[in-house]
Amino acid sequence: MPHSKNISEDSFDIVIVGAGFAGMYMLYKLRSMGLNTRVYERGDGVGGTWYWNRYPGARCDLESMEYSYSFDNDLQQEWNWKEKYGTQPELLKYANHVADRFDLRRDIEFKTRLNSAQYNDVTGRLDLTTNRGSRATAAHLVLATGNLSTPQPPKIDGVADFNGRSFHTGNWPHVNVDFRKRRVGIIGTGSSAVQAIPEIAKQAAHLTVFQRTANFSIPAHHGPLESAEREAKKARYDVIRASANETPFGIAKFGSPTQSAWDVNGAERQKIYEEAWAIGGQALLFTFTDILTDRDANETAAEFVRERIREVVKDPAIAELLCPKDHPIGTKRLCLDSFYYETYNRDNVTLIDVKKMPISRITPSAVVVGDKSYEIDDLVLATGFDAMTGAARDINIVGEMGIRLSDRWAAGPQTYLGIMVASFPNMYLITGPQSPGVKSQMILSIEYHVEIIAKMIDKIRREGLRTVRAKPEAQAAWVEHNNLVANKTLYPTAASWYMGANIPGKARVFMPYVGGVKEYRAICGKVMTDNWRGFAFSNN
Ligand code: NAP
């Protein structure tokens, strides 16, 4: 029977940071190996993304029958997703169900933030401190800190002085926010805003949307998940899960496309786009092999979407403002929506272009653009996250010989397989930079990393070893490979959070691995069978 020590212990086999889907499964896995594991979680509940992002309309943009754990068949058979795309409350309920079902909470210290982690060259352990003033040591440290978990308020003069209610979508209050009879301003038009805007518009007296960059959004075609469909999927869950691993982005229903956009004529292409549009979600990106590699092919899909926007939005000038023209479709995360573009036909919604004329400042009662002041009662900041590296860099992490992670990553993150960082022994990342993580079905990628990390820790214990390190030369080769793969695509051409471009001063480096889930698993599989090529296991 696995054991765990009580809360007063300060010496652990493993400390995990974060109790989202990554941290919870890591805890389950390590505990099942009989390891003394502690999780530090800054919130007062489990669920990570789904704990923090409670804004109106928040829901997953991958179908829940796939965006869910596969590690326990009873769990996936007993849980009944109610809607095709899980809502935030449903996903949070699911996270809590998992925590209860596997009795995870007893090893999670809530409201606890890891302040520092320093590798001790003498003991070969990590010395840890928390915001609560506690100290601990651990043989291993797992960062399950999430890729989109450090909300980024905009750097606009006066934003902190706004006198009305102010909310960031990534740190939303835990109580219902009532926008009735309120004049609301929202800054941002990324995935979070695209979901929130239609819902806020239904309530608010007036909603003013401040848009810097128009994004491509595709209808999600949400709806209830009928029990017949749900049961049919459950019956073939093993096939669905296995086939997801064979796809580019870990989504079973989106296999690799087989033909180029130029293999068909214009009419056929249009028909294929229409079919994808009817499916909704990400389907459009899986129509042709070259959508994300050939600018002209990409433009055919982009223009198809712009045409749909022009059809929906009645005012042609507003429609044109909403048509993205500065990046290829799919190179910024594609948004999924429910009646987003339709919302701009409402009388109580105004769209303000802040590209040509940026927001100059925020006063206690207004957003100021040029010489025009937009008076509001509530300010919603849908301005995104310090993605992929923000959470790790927020912790003072020091590796061997005093090397700081924030210095190491100053010019962009460097990892081996997105799992370890050279010079940081026994420290692991779940879905770190240079892994498919954010470019895949996240839970599938989480499960794969958890299993690899568990195998590494198991090897160390079984063989009486002390440390595992990523070899610097293996890391350098992996980073180079990532860059080569990315540079064959259109991704680096967009000023996206994948590139760190949304954070002023952040190094512009394309961070995710975009070679695909299938390829990545093949590479990791080879690394493992090749006696953990690129990793150095040792006694010191
Ligand atoms: P985001 O995609 O980074 O969007 C942030 C928005 O704020 C952008 O429109 C950005 O404009 C704007 N912005 C930032 N600073 C600004 C400023 N000073 N002035 C004007 N506009 C400013 O963030 P997000 O919408 O929170 O989404 C982040 C990611 O989270 C998504 O890409 C997705 O991966 C994930 N997410 C997923 C779901 C889902 O599963 N359904 C939902 C929400 C989020 P620019 O583009 O010009 O920088």
Side-chain angles (χ1 to χ4, degrees), residues 55 59 61 188-192 195 212-213 332-333 382 384 497:
Y55 58 84
R59 62 167 90 222
D61 59 8
T189 47
S191 297
S192 303
Q195 290 184 328
R212 189 165 64 186
T213 307
K332 287 181 133 191
R333 169 72 179 243
W497 59 256

Side-chain angles (χ1 to χ4, degrees), residues 59 194 198-199 218-222 336-340 342-343:
R59 62 167 90 222
V194 159
E199 296 304 313
I218 310 282
H221 301 312
H222 288 312
L336 252 72
D337 74 272
S338 293
F339 309 109
Y340 174 65
E342 288 83 349
T343 301

Side-chain angles (χ1 to χ4, degrees), residues 84-85 215-222 253-254 269-287 300-312 324 329 334-337 339-342:
K84 191 168 153 189
Y85 297 91
N215 268 305
F216 290 98
S217 188
I218 310 282
H221 301 312
H222 288 312
K253 76 178 196 187
F254 298 137
R269 215 164 31 238
Q270 182 77 4
K271 187 164 169 286
I272 288 169
Y273 288 147
E274 276 164 11
E275 285 163 4
W277 186 259
I279 294 169
Q282 314 275 340
L284 203 78
L285 298 182
F286 295 89
T287 45
T300 62
E303 188 54 21
F304 174 85
V305 175
R306 290 187 207 113
E307 282 304 318
R308 304 287 78 70
I309 298 171
R310 292 175 187 126
E311 274 170 12
V312 170
I329 186 167
L334 199 58
C335 303
L336 252 72
D337 74 272
F339 309 109
Y340 174 65
Y341 295 115
E342 288 83 349

Side-chain angles (χ1 to χ4, degrees), residues 74-119:
D74 288 345
L75 170 66
Q76 67 180 7
Q77 292 297 336
E78 77 198 9
W79 185 264
N80 290 322
W81 291 105
K82 297 203 168 37
E83 296 187 44
K84 191 168 153 189
Y85 297 91
T87 59
Q88 176 273 329
E90 194 179 14
L91 282 152
L92 187 59
K93 199 169 159 200
Y94 173 71
N96 278 289
H97 169 72
V98 172
D100 293 337
R101 192 184 193 288
F102 299 107
D103 187 22
L104 298 179
R105 285 192 181 77
R106 67 187 154 94
D107 288 320
I108 305 176
E109 219 172 301
F110 292 104
K111 293 189 178 170
T112 304
R113 183 189 284 270
L114 182 66
N115 277 352
S116 67
Q118 178 148 16
Y119 180 73

Side-chain angles (χ1 to χ4, degrees), residues 151-174:
Q152 179 70 15
K155 299 216 176 337
I156 300 174
D157 278 353
V159 66
D161 303 327
F162 182 68
N163 235 348
R165 300 186 301 178
S166 176
F167 312 97
H168 192 288
T169 48
N171 188 7
W172 199 263
H174 291 196

